[in-house]
Amino acid sequence: MKKIFLIATVLLGSLQLIAQQPATMMMKLTNGAVVRSDVSQVEKITFGETTYNLNSTGERILEVGDLCWPDDRLLPLFLPPAASVRSLDMNAASLSDEERIMFCTLQGIVNRTQPRILLYNHNEEPRATWPSAHSLRVVTIASTRAYSLVKLFQDEIKGLVLYSNELTNHYSNLAATIGGLDRLLPVTAEIRAKLIENGMDFPVVEDLTKLTLSTAVDVYTYLYDNYWSRCNHRLLISERPNIPYVHDIGAACGSACVWLDPRTTSERQLLDKMLKDMTPGRDFVLGWYPEERSGVGEATKYGLSTVPADFFENTTVYTAVNKPIVIPPVPKRPKLENKVYAAVYISDGDNIQYCQHAMAKIFEQGGRGKMPMNWTISPSLADIAPMMLNYYYGKATENDCFVSGPSGMGYAMPYDAHNSRYYASSSNSTLITPYTQLTQRYIEKAGLRVITIWDDISTIQRRVFAQNCPYLYGLTINDWERQSGRLTTKVQSNWLPIVPQYPCYANGVDVITDFFNRDVKNFKGSEPMFVTGQATVWDAGPDKLIALRERLDALSPGNVNIVRADHWFSYYNEANHLPFNLALLQEMEITSSPVKTHVEYAADGSPSDGYMWVSKTTDGAGWVQLDFKEPFQISRYVVRHAEAGGLDAELNSRNFTIEASLDGTTWTTIGTHTANIQPVTDASVTPVEARYVRVNVTRGGSDGYVRIADIEVYGSH
């Protein structure tokens, strides 16, 4: 049943949401009661006071200060998109850059109340790909009547901010920033004339045409002095003034939009003033920079990540379809052999505009699925566009493994190998700690077990990743061959391998084959060998990479196994007597008390609702037993409960024990948990030799069922 909430004052934005938990909003009613509801069940919000601005349908027009923005979400919680959204192809309409920025700002202002506008700007992937993936009903605005879209929502616009780009086009960003704050459309005199021609004579509320500022520093200093204190500092938009893409989410959030070059001292100093006002581990930069390494590095200096998104469109629409990520089961791996294990990574998934546009086409290549390939993708999509992640997971084969792009939740550059400098200090963990904590939350939410680091990390930084990212199986670093010899593999805290990509960012199969052969030619067959490398997706997509099978087999016939990244790190740890997830073993056998679903769901690598172990009875009791077929030194276990799979926290198991046995008859309790309220139980124990591990639940969820989203057990030989 859809709900209509009457709200007397404001949306309360201090919710603490756990990864995969259904999105909620808190409503304060006129009688003082506070109600929590699933966002997807809210159809409309109305307000008790009549002094607020209402649109033509009687809904309150949300202002920047009305946003519901929990601390543990990258973006605010928006209502689900309207039953039908209006779409406009801005290319077909032949709009100028300034007009596109006006339309994107309109989109952000309108969609803040409820997503109702969809804009096409890039036109690389098939038009229906993402509206279909988000189950949107789209009503198209004729390209010859583009300004009729403004007219549809004119009652949600207070007026205009008038500007001219004659002195510098940075005025576009300044005007868009002001527009988002005050519900004004950023327009030039020419655009204003078109609005009037179409029957819309909005008042000019802010007139920037009298300013004589002529440089980026001038314009953004003016922004900083006059508007920065009003901007939302949780998000900073860094976007070229003539690129109208992520302006919608900037306008919706009331965030500043700038384009500053850290290579220029005065521009860097101004950018630093803004970055200093942002909170590491929560806030981030969206967009891009005039130059990659200086821009990403500058944000990294302040413990902030950048989500590359210079051509990402419709953020305010896709973030509003707020669904849990459906992580598919992970295939089991065969026994470790004395073989060469090879893993190949595909760039450039840290950039969400690549995930939205180019990847959608590349993922359709016929070579995909024919051999294991590791696709970098951004964990930020778990909030920014969760249905994009679900789209790729839904199409993936068992040979498609998704890993995090550099260097976790958003692009950060702890060390820049090209310029031989650390951006996050190598001597302390102050800056990298909040970034890794943020990363842990999002890689687990997105189901990504491996991170590709650009370029390298220090000893302290390795330790911080190991402390704060227990979801990881491993890290890769980029070996650019810019120092004497090769980077070497390191193992942090006796469990986390940090492995160089050799080669990194290779532009073809020949390069990868050559680099791999530098090791494979020395393979003796007496112990396992491990090689890993990265290909640039622009030069070596799936249709070209498939040739690696024959190339590598020719190097050492019958000895080279190309594997998924999660399997590769599992094999590596086992071969080096390090703990690895025993639940990945192909020979593992699962038994349990009677179950409503399937017994293998208890340890299939997916915590998602559709792959969850659920007891058959409602007496609050149930057990699951894992038989690894041989003894291991068990040192850690992880139990993911109902909430980790997207269900209500009340369905988490409350009381349970973890037991270990060598023979399946005599059991030793290695963990006891009572009154649990957490979505994930992750515990390290004094190593104990065992072949069997059992999870025994004596008090399940509030409805009497026992639910186990996933079990992991870590052990070594």
Side-chain angles (χ1 to χ4, degrees):
M1 175 184 296
K2 290 291 185 180
K3 302 174 183 178
I4 299 177
F5 281 100
L6 178 66
I7 304 181
T9 50
V10 297
L11 302 182
L12 303 181
S14 60
L15 314 182
Q16 293 299 312
L17 303 181
I18 306 299
Q20 303 265 9
Q21 182 179 350
T24 59
M25 298 180 80
M26 278 184 137
M27 314 297 179
K28 180 180 283 187
L29 307 186
T30 53
N31 64 3
V34 176
V35 178
R36 182 190 293 265
S37 178
D38 188 327
V39 167
S40 64
Q41 297 303 309
V42 179
E43 186 177 63
K44 184 168 67 173
I45 302 175
T46 59
F47 289 73
E49 288 87 342
T50 58
T51 56
Y52 292 110
N53 295 294
L54 305 178
N55 63 19
S56 59
T57 60
E59 297 170 314
R60 175 180 168 181
I61 301 169
L62 293 186
E63 309 292 348
V64 168
D66 295 325
L67 291 173
C68 179
W69 201 335
D71 280 345
D72 59 353
R73 267 190 62 86
L74 296 178
L75 295 177
L77 289 168
F78 295 100
L79 288 177
S84 63
V85 296
R86 307 301 176 110
S87 72
L88 173 66
D89 186 331
M90 297 198 291
N91 288 325
S94 300
L95 299 179
S96 67
D97 289 340
E98 290 80 7
E99 286 177 299
R100 294 174 192 236
I101 288 172
M102 184 268 284
F103 274 95
C104 285
T105 304
L106 170 73
Q107 181 185 34
I109 293 169
V110 169
N111 288 357
R112 181 164 64 208
T113 296
Q114 183 179 31
R116 287 159 286 163
I117 297 178
L118 187 75
L119 298 176
Y120 297 109
N121 209 11
H122 204 67
N123 293 338
E124 184 173 355
E125 71 280 5
R127 172 67 55 82
T129 299
W130 299 122
S132 176
H134 292 80
S135 301
L136 300 177
R137 180 177 177 270
V138 177
V139 177
T140 302
I141 299 292
S143 59
T144 56
R145 300 181 61 249
Y147 278 73
S148 66
L149 182 62
V150 182
K151 200 161 192 175
L152 279 172
F153 301 103
Q154 62 181 329
D155 61 333
E156 303 189 34
I157 301 302
K158 288 183 177 180
L160 307 177
V161 50
L162 186 66
Y163 71 98
S164 169
N165 278 335
E166 184 177 349
L167 295 176
T168 174
N169 63 2
H170 290 287
Y171 280 102
S172 289
N173 278 347
L174 172 61
T177 300
I178 299 169
L181 289 171
D182 293 327
R183 284 199 285 120
L184 309 176
L185 294 182
V187 301
T188 61
E190 293 78 9
I191 297 174
R192 186 189 180 198
K194 287 186 179 182
L195 288 168
I196 293 173
E197 287 174 11
N198 283 273
M200 292 170 285
D201 190 2
F202 294 110
V204 175
V205 178
E206 293 275 357
D207 187 352
L208 305 179
T209 60
K210 299 175 183 179
L211 299 178
T212 58
L213 311 171
S214 59
T215 68
V217 168
D218 290 340
V219 171
Y220 298 121
T221 298
Y222 182 85
L223 185 156
Y224 185 86
D225 291 341
N226 294 279
Y227 298 99
W228 177 251
S229 62
R230 294 179 54 206
C231 290
N232 195 311
H233 300 163
R234 294 191 58 175
L235 173 67
L236 177 65
I237 303 296
S238 180
E239 185 72 287
R240 280 167 284 194
N242 60 337
I243 301 294
Y245 284 88
V246 291
H247 286 84
D248 70 314
I249 191 64
C253 295
S255 298
C257 185
V258 303
W259 186 246
L260 291 163
D261 191 339
R263 295 171 298 179
T264 301
T265 300
S266 59
E267 294 188 36
R268 183 181 67 251
Q269 291 172 342
L270 179 56
L271 178 61
D272 287 352
K273 290 171 68 175
M274 298 178 181
L275 297 176
K276 286 177 183 177
D277 285 342
M278 301 175 72
T279 302
R282 188 194 66 177
D283 306 345
F284 70 106
V285 181
L286 185 70
W288 201 226
Y289 303 99
E291 192 272 331
E292 176 179 354
R293 288 174 173 265
S294 60
V296 173
E298 199 65 19
T300 306
K301 277 172 52 177
Y302 294 94
L304 301 168
S305 60
T306 300
V307 175
D310 37 349
F311 296 102
F312 192 85
E313 57 192 13
N314 296 308
T315 310
T316 51
V317 179
Y318 298 141
T319 189
V321 185
N322 189 25
K323 302 292 185 183
I325 307 305
V326 181
I327 302 167
V330 177
K332 304 301 183 186
R333 69 157 179 86
K335 280 190 173 183
L336 175 68
E337 301 179 275
N338 289 333
K339 300 280 189 179
V340 177
Y341 291 95
V344 181
Y345 294 75
I346 299 172
S347 69
D348 267 347
D350 63 305
N351 196 323
I352 62 173
Q353 66 96 355
Y354 158 78
C355 300
Q356 185 178 53
H357 303 307
M359 185 174 173
K361 295 192 305 180
I362 295 169
F363 212 66
E364 298 299 322
Q365 290 186 9
R368 183 181 64 82
K370 293 182 178 179
M371 78 173 201
M373 298 179 187
N374 303 295
W375 299 82
T376 53
I377 202 164
S378 175
S380 71
L381 290 174
D383 276 359
I384 293 175
M387 294 307 293
M388 285 190 186
L389 270 179
N390 283 339
Y391 172 87
Y392 288 115
Y393 271 134
K395 282 181 168 285
T397 69
E398 289 192 348
N399 279 330
D400 297 309
C401 180
F402 295 106
V403 301
S404 173
S407 294
M409 207 320 291
Y411 190 177
M413 189 169 286
Y415 177 72
D416 179 357
H418 288 192
N419 297 297
S420 302
R421 63 176 298 186
Y422 281 94
Y423 283 107
S425 172
S426 61
S427 61
N428 66 72
S429 60
T430 303
L431 295 175
I432 199 71
T433 293
Y435 173 72
T436 54
Q437 291 169 337
L438 181 69
T439 290
Q440 161 63 23
R441 195 162 77 243
Y442 279 89
I443 59 172
E444 184 163 6
K445 193 172 185 179
L448 310 178
R449 309 305 296 248
V450 177
I451 296 174
T452 57
I453 301 286
W454 278 41
D455 293 313
D456 197 0
I457 50 178
S458 68
T459 300
I460 289 176
Q461 292 165 348
R462 290 197 299 267
R463 187 181 70 236
V464 173
F465 266 98
Q467 287 174 340
N468 295 310
C469 298
Y471 192 71
L472 283 175
Y473 285 159
L475 297 171
T476 71
I477 53 178
N478 278 14
D479 193 337
W480 293 98
E481 298 181 281
R482 288 179 177 269
Q483 47 189 288
S484 59
R486 290 167 53 176
L487 295 179
T488 58
T489 297
K490 303 286 195 306
V491 175
Q492 180 61 47
S493 304
N494 199 43
W495 71 272
L496 181 64
I498 297 99
V499 179
Q501 298 277 19
Y502 193 73
C504 66
Y505 223 56
N507 62 3
V509 171
D510 290 341
V511 176
I512 298 172
T513 303
D514 173 64
F515 271 75
F516 281 4
N517 192 41
R518 300 179 192 189
D519 294 313
V520 173
K521 66 183 180 182
N522 298 316
F523 180 64
K524 306 300 183 184
S526 57
E527 61 181 6
M529 175 180 282
F530 297 89
V531 294
T532 183
Q534 182 189 57
T536 65
V537 71
W538 315 112
D539 304 301
D543 284 350
K544 293 181 178 179
L545 285 176
I546 194 65
L548 269 176
R549 289 188 305 184
E550 291 185 4
R551 299 284 187 89
L552 297 183
D553 188 64
L555 297 180
S556 185
N559 290 322
V560 181
N561 290 344
I562 302 175
V563 298
R564 295 166 49 110
D566 45 12
H567 286 187
W568 192 96
F569 278 101
S570 176
Y571 283 126
Y572 182 89
N573 276 22
E574 182 178 9
N576 288 279
H577 309 290
L578 302 171
F580 67 101
N581 182 9
L582 305 177
L584 282 177
L585 293 172
Q586 195 174 66
E587 58 270 24
M588 180 190 70
E589 181 181 348
I590 307 178
T591 54
S592 76
S593 57
V595 64
K596 285 180 62 176
T597 52
H598 298 285
V599 66
E600 62 269 19
Y601 285 177
D604 63 355
S606 170
S608 302
D609 185 16
Y611 302 101
M612 191 173 298
W613 186 97
V614 184
S615 65
K616 191 170 185 177
T617 60
T618 59
D619 60 0
W623 57 268
V624 174
Q625 179 176 299
L626 309 181
D627 177 4
F628 306 115
K629 300 302 181 180
E630 60 177 306
F632 291 89
Q633 290 293 317
I634 307 300
S635 56
R636 177 185 169 204
Y637 59 83
V638 182
V639 181
R640 292 187 167 82
H641 306 289
E643 188 180 359
L647 301 182
D648 194 278
E650 293 183 355
L651 301 180
N652 292 340
S653 293
R654 295 297 190 255
N655 300 342
F656 55 95
T657 59
I658 312 297
E659 301 164 322
S661 174
L662 269 173
D663 57 10
T665 301
T666 303
W667 294 88
T668 300
T669 299
I670 60 174
T672 300
H673 302 271
T674 58
N676 170 62
I677 59 172
Q678 298 300 320
V680 179
T681 301
D682 188 336
S684 296
V685 298
T686 301
V688 56
E689 187 176 18
R691 168 180 163 175
Y692 304 86
V693 168
R694 184 167 65 193
V695 178
N696 188 34
V697 180
T698 55
R699 183 187 169 199
S702 60
D703 63 353
Y705 285 106
V706 177
R707 291 172 177 82
I708 295 178
D710 198 48
I711 300 171
E712 298 175 2
V713 176
Y714 290 80
S716 59
H717 289 294

